């Protein structure tokens, strides 16, 4: 990689010579402007508005326009004479946890490389110190004619630097949030959670620029003289009136999409019909994920089991009572029949005695 800046990192009294390289690159397709009639290039020329003559770059300088319209020239020599200690030095101001840096401040990203063999040891020292502390370094540096704020962190075995916007360059989000009074129901959150679980984790390595690929195919088709395929016009979507229904449809569509993508219809999220929209019915519409059935469904099954068990116990008790009652009647009849049976024996016996006499 080509370096865009050479200087050093100031780490206390330790100076680490480094080279600065861009950590990112743009893959956007570049276009030229042409005259459609004959294909000639359209170029921009710097023309002085007073004499209407083209001015070469060597005669062009910067200028500051005051509030009253006064123009004050500022040359490169004027800027070079300013006392700027960070002109060739990345000065570390201190260390913070990365969570203290607002992502809104993040700007361009760079790699810092040790410049020369003697720089390898102090470079590795700073890298390992950052790695062990779990912190990032906040530094000042100058690039392209202005002083900037930066954050140094470890990426693999390299020290990376992110340009940061100054805190006063971040706008406050005034008037951006929805008006107060908007309420989100638990049932809606349940469906939103189900949708998030169904979509799953984003695989950053598989994401790509579909629009850029479409532009490349368009250019290739036009260069080959082939007809250009026209995209089907999409019907404009209406306003979402029923948020619950929209969430339900989104969960179902995501489930089908992910099932097709993985080649199976694995259980990702179950969507149930939406009831009357009240809190209790709406919660029944909440989708369950791989973690298993919802607490409400489990409670419902448990209650059904308990009810069935109670009914069974009731029937058993009733049958037992009937059996006990039948046994009691049998014993009572047996007791009543016992004396008669004995008298009969005696009578029988007495008859037999008289007969023998």
């Amino acid at each position: 990689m080509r370096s865009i800046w050479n200087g050093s990192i100031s780490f206390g009294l330790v100076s680490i010579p480094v080279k600065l390289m861009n950590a990112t690159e743009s893959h956007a397709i570049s276009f030229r402007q042409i005259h459609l009639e004959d294909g000639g290039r359209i170029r921009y020329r710097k023309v002085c508005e007073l004499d209407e003559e083209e001015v070469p770059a060597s005669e062009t300088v910067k200028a500051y326009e005051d509030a009253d319209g006064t123009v004050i020239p500022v040359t490169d020599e004027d800027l070079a004479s300013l006392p700027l200690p960070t002109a060739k030095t990345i000065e570390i101001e201190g260390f913070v946890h990365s969570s203290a840096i607002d992502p809104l401040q993040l700007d361009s990203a760079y790699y810092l490389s040790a410049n020369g063999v003697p720089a390898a040891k102090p470079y590795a020292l700073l890298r390992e110190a950052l790695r062990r502390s779990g912190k990032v370094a906040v530094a000042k540096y100058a690039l392209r004619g202005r002083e900037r704020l930066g954050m140094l962190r470890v990426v693999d075995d390299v020290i990376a630097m992110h340009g940061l916007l100054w805190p006063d360059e971040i706008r406050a989000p005034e008037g951006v949030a929805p008006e107060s009074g908007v309420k989100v129901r638990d049932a809606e959150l349940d469906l939103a959670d189900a949708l998030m679980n169904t979509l799953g984790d984003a695989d950053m390595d598989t994401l790509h620029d579909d629009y850029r690929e479409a532009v490349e195919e368009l250019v290739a088709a036009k260069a080959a003289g082939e007809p250009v395929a026209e995209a089907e016009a999409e019907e404009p979507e209406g306003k979402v009136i029923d948020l619950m229904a929209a969430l339900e449809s989104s969960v179902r569509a995501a489930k089908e999409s992910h099932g097709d993508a993985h080649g199976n219809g694995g259980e990702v999220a179950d969507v149930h019909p939406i009831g009357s929209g009240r809190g209790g019915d709406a919660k029944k519409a909440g989708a369950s994920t791989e973690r298993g059935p919802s607490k409400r469904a489990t409670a419902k099954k448990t209650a059904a089991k308990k009810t069935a068990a109670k009914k069974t116990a009731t029937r058993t008790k009733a049958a037992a009572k009937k059996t006990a009652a039948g046994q009691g009647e049998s014993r009572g009849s047996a007791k009543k029949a016992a004396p008669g049976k004995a008298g009969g024996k005696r009578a029988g016996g007495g008859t037999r005695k008289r007969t023998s006499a």
Side-chain angles (χ1 to χ4, degrees):
M1 287 185 281
R2 185 175 63 87
S3 62
I4 61 173
W5 180 90
N6 290 348
S8 61
I9 300 174
S10 176
F11 180 32
L13 297 178
V14 179
S15 181
I16 310 170
V18 292
K19 294 184 291 184
L20 187 72
M21 292 161 283
N22 284 315
T24 61
E25 59 185 1
S26 174
H27 291 163
I29 298 175
S30 299
F31 290 102
R32 305 286 188 186
Q33 287 191 329
I34 64 169
H35 186 195
L36 183 60
E37 184 177 341
D38 54 18
R41 285 280 304 275
I42 304 297
R43 299 179 182 274
Y44 292 99
R45 291 183 171 88
K46 296 180 180 181
V47 177
C48 175
E49 64 180 15
L50 296 179
D51 54 22
E52 296 184 353
E53 292 183 2
E54 185 176 353
V55 180
S58 59
E59 297 180 14
T60 304
V61 297
K62 300 181 181 69
Y64 176 81
E65 186 174 356
D66 208 349
D68 59 359
T70 304
V71 177
I72 304 169
V74 179
T75 65
D76 291 338
E77 290 75 14
D78 294 333
L79 295 174
S81 64
L82 292 176
L84 188 61
T86 56
K88 284 292 182 180
T89 305
I90 300 173
E91 290 201 356
I92 295 178
E93 301 290 327
F95 300 86
V96 297
H97 288 283
S98 58
S99 58
I101 305 294
D102 191 331
L104 287 173
Q105 289 185 253
L106 294 177
D107 200 2
S108 303
Y110 308 95
Y111 288 136
L112 293 171
S113 171
N115 192 2
V117 176
K121 182 63 179 290
Y123 181 95
L125 172 65
L126 176 59
R127 181 192 64 198
E128 295 308 315
L130 288 172
R131 195 197 304 274
R132 188 168 72 171
S133 69
K135 294 183 178 181
V136 297
V138 177
K140 287 182 179 182
Y141 67 102
L143 186 65
R144 300 187 181 96
R146 56 170 291 201
E147 189 173 58
R148 303 166 187 263
L149 192 63
M151 176 187 75
L152 277 62
R153 68 185 183 97
V154 178
V155 177
D156 296 333
D157 290 332
V158 176
I159 298 175
M161 182 172 72
H162 294 268
L164 299 178
L165 298 175
W166 296 97
D168 59 1
E169 292 179 316
I170 304 298
R171 292 179 175 178
E174 296 176 357
V176 178
E179 295 181 3
S180 59
V182 178
K183 293 183 179 179
V184 179
R185 294 182 296 168
D186 289 340
E188 294 166 341
L189 280 175
D190 290 341
L191 279 177
D193 288 342
L195 178 56
M196 291 171 64
N197 290 329
T198 304
L199 294 175
D201 297 333
D203 188 353
M204 301 300 291
D205 294 331
T206 62
L207 300 179
H208 58 279
D209 189 346
D210 294 324
Y211 181 77
R212 177 169 58 88
E213 292 181 358
V215 172
E216 290 174 348
E217 292 175 3
L218 170 67
V219 172
K222 290 179 76 69
E226 300 175 354
V228 179
E230 295 184 1
E232 297 180 2
E234 297 183 0
E235 297 182 1
E237 297 182 359
K239 294 182 179 179
V240 178
I241 298 176
D242 190 340
L243 181 58
M244 293 290 288
L247 285 170
E248 181 188 24
S249 300
S250 299
V251 173
R252 186 179 292 108
K255 179 181 178 182
E256 292 173 358
S257 174
H258 280 61
D260 294 341
H262 293 90
N264 55 43
E267 292 186 8
V268 183
D270 295 330
V271 183
H272 305 282
I274 296 176
S276 60
R278 293 176 296 179
D281 295 335
K283 285 185 179 177
K284 293 178 184 178
S288 61
T289 61
E290 293 180 352
R291 290 174 291 188
S294 63
K295 293 182 179 179
R296 181 176 290 277
T298 306
K300 213 172 183 181
K301 290 179 181 179
T302 305
K305 288 180 180 180
K306 289 182 179 178
T307 303
K310 286 181 180 179
K311 288 181 179 179
T312 304
T314 303
R315 293 193 193 102
T316 304
K317 287 180 181 179
K321 285 182 179 180
K322 287 182 180 179
T323 304
Q327 291 176 351
E329 289 177 1
S330 299
R331 291 193 192 98
S333 301
K335 286 180 181 178
K336 290 178 181 179
K341 195 174 181 183
K345 284 181 180 179
R346 290 191 210 101
T351 304
R352 284 195 296 271
K353 287 179 181 178
R354 281 195 295 272
T355 306
S356 63

